[in-house]
Amino acid sequence: MTRARVGILISGRGSNMASLVEASHLPDSPYDVALVVSNVPDAPGLAFAAANGIPTFAVSHKGMKRAEFDALVDGALRDAGVDYVALAGYMRLLSPGFVAGWAGRMVNIHPSLLPLYKGLDTHQRALDAGDARHGCSVHLVTEELDDGPILAQAEVPILDGDDADALATRVLLEEHKLYPAALAALIRSGPPAR
Ligand code: GAR
């Protein structure tokens, strides 16, 4: 089977991007990572991508209109022959045109059991709510922030004495397993009807 080409968008550390890249090296992976894009030119994750021989495209969004910047990113993804887009800690709202152009082929990972706790500070919010469980979700991207059909979730129990950092660390370990598996399952299920 020909492997799908995945473009990954990051804004920072890029640990989820790294887990997607590492999974793509497995013999039965249905995808290769064709491009890593960042809106933050000194995002730490870019070094990992480059060290793994993956082309990178890094341009600051500062001073640009959202749709104008997204068109630049879209062009880079299309030029790289990308079939699927994975958001991995990409901390930008997306323009409607960009989202429509990748409908059914763009996924995101979010550190909560969606629909709970969209947005930021998810771990502290789960603690403040007194929840017994927390986790992460992979979903198809729609125009609403951290919304769209959920593809997969992983749960993490909240333990006595947990603080936001401890909880974030345990959730992140689950993110690194969940994201490659959910992306591979989506790709194996085939492209959406156009
Ligand atoms: C991850 O925890 C990811 O789920 C979260 O940002 C972190 C990025 O870490 N994403 C969101 O909050 C999206 N709304 P990483 O750069 O090490 O992958």
Side-chain angles (χ1 to χ4, degrees), residues 44-62:
L46 289 168
F48 175 91
N52 278 268
I54 298 166
T56 59
F57 178 83
V59 179
S60 172
H61 60 275
K62 288 183 185 158

Side-chain angles (χ1 to χ4, degrees), residues 3-4 8 13 23 29 32 39 50 61 69 102 105 107 112-113 120 127 132-133 142 155 165 170 172 182 187 191:
R3 290 180 172 213
I8 306 177
R13 178 176 60 184
S29 169
D32 287 318
N39 66 312
H61 60 275
F69 180 76
W102 294 99
R105 293 184 295 142
V107 291
S112 77
L113 294 173
L120 300 174
L127 288 169
R133 60 198 188 97
T142 57
E155 282 189 21
D165 285 347
R170 290 209 311 286
L172 193 64
I187 292 169

